[in-house]
Amino acid sequence: MTKINYDYIEKYLDDLNDDYSLNVLRMKAIENKVPIIRRSSLKFLETIIKIKNPKNILELGTAIGYSTICLRKLANCKITSIELSKKNYNQALNNIEKYDYDNLKLYNLINCDAIKALKTINQGFDFVFIDCDKSHYKEYFNECDRLLKNGGIIVCDNILFNGQVASDDLVKKRDITIVKRLREFLVYLENLENYTTTFVPIGDGISISIKEF
């Protein structure tokens, strides 16, 4: 796997920032090859969350619940998370019960296609984390825009897709469509009039978009 940062730098920062309270769950995900947020990216999000202090978080891409639990604990608030895979959804429910049992009522997990699920949600959110099918980031972002309060933040993970988005020399044949759509998405974000967006080369790259009006 191509990385956008040097391995020794990422390892140093990961070790420095490591939160061992959920390390067992993280290792379980890695062993089972379940994609989860990198620790360097999570640590960066911690700073954003502490500044924003969101009351309601929306996550697209629950996987087995690692980032879901981390985000809820960081913000100490309610979180709604959407996951397409029934297997991952069930594992996430089990993990939330195991690692955050006292706060089960603060979780709302939805097992559904993200676009379909988003169309049924009417409540507002202060913070949105998108980490699912990269080829549909633009559609997800636009659906979330309707649900995001003014001053709210949308964060998209893996926007550099192992560096392929930034270099034609790295693009694999099977990833051509995803890379093309991610590039179009980043240009789209850069030119949105009602958002201010910053791209940060942490982990696999993240975008931070603040809704102005």
Side-chain angles (χ1 to χ4, degrees):
M1 178 185 292
T2 302
K3 293 187 177 182
I4 64 173
N5 289 318
Y6 290 109
D7 287 347
Y8 72 92
I9 294 177
E10 187 159 323
K11 183 180 185 305
Y12 171 77
L13 292 176
D14 280 352
D15 291 342
L16 186 66
N17 296 327
D18 196 11
D19 177 1
Y20 290 98
S21 63
L22 289 172
N23 194 47
V24 173
L25 181 55
R26 165 174 281 279
M27 294 308 299
K28 179 180 178 182
I30 293 173
E31 289 171 4
N32 290 282
K33 298 182 179 180
V34 177
I36 58 174
I37 187 172
R38 297 182 183 181
R39 283 180 294 203
S40 54
S41 298
L42 183 61
K43 189 64 179 180
F44 184 78
L45 289 190
E46 179 180 357
T47 303
I48 303 299
I49 286 174
K50 293 301 182 182
I51 293 173
K52 179 58 183 173
N53 190 29
K55 303 303 180 185
N56 286 286
I57 291 178
L58 172 63
E59 177 187 45
L60 276 58
T62 315
I64 63 171
Y66 175 77
S67 59
T68 315
I69 297 169
C70 289
L71 291 173
R72 198 221 62 78
K73 286 188 171 184
L74 288 174
N76 191 28
C77 71
K78 296 179 180 179
I79 184 166
T80 296
S81 187
I82 303 170
E83 173 59 41
L84 177 61
S85 166
K86 183 67 174 180
K87 179 181 178 181
N88 285 344
Y89 169 81
N90 288 332
Q91 289 183 348
L93 288 175
N94 291 333
N95 288 327
I96 289 169
E97 184 172 358
K98 181 177 181 179
Y99 292 98
D100 203 12
Y101 179 80
D102 292 338
N103 296 291
L104 291 179
K105 64 181 181 180
L106 298 178
Y107 291 88
N108 175 28
L109 265 60
I110 301 172
N111 179 211
C112 186
D113 171 79
I115 295 296
K116 291 181 179 179
L118 289 171
K119 291 183 182 298
T120 67
I121 298 174
N122 294 313
Q123 76 172 89
F125 296 93
D126 312 294
F127 187 94
V128 177
F129 181 56
I130 301 177
D131 186 17
C132 47
D133 184 358
K134 317 306 172 192
S135 62
H136 293 289
Y137 266 18
K138 182 178 178 180
E139 293 93 323
Y140 298 146
F141 188 98
N142 287 334
E143 285 294 333
C144 290
D145 172 61
R146 176 181 64 85
L147 304 172
L148 188 69
K149 298 177 181 178
N150 288 344
I153 298 173
I154 299 180
V155 173
C156 300
D157 198 16
N158 306 117
I159 60 166
L160 294 179
F161 205 61
N162 299 317
Q164 294 185 73
V165 170
S167 174
D168 288 337
D169 295 334
L170 298 176
V171 179
K172 299 175 182 178
K173 187 175 181 180
R174 68 173 183 269
D175 297 329
I176 290 176
T177 299
I178 295 176
V179 171
K180 179 177 181 292
R181 290 182 178 179
L182 277 173
R183 287 175 174 174
E184 291 173 349
F185 174 62
L186 298 188
V187 172
Y188 175 75
L189 288 184
E190 183 67 25
N191 291 282
L192 272 180
E193 292 185 356
N194 60 327
Y195 280 86
T196 296
T197 296
T198 299
F199 306 115
V200 185
I202 288 178
D204 192 27
I206 61 177
S207 64
I208 303 171
S209 303
I210 302 174
K211 187 174 184 178
E212 298 177 353
F213 57 88

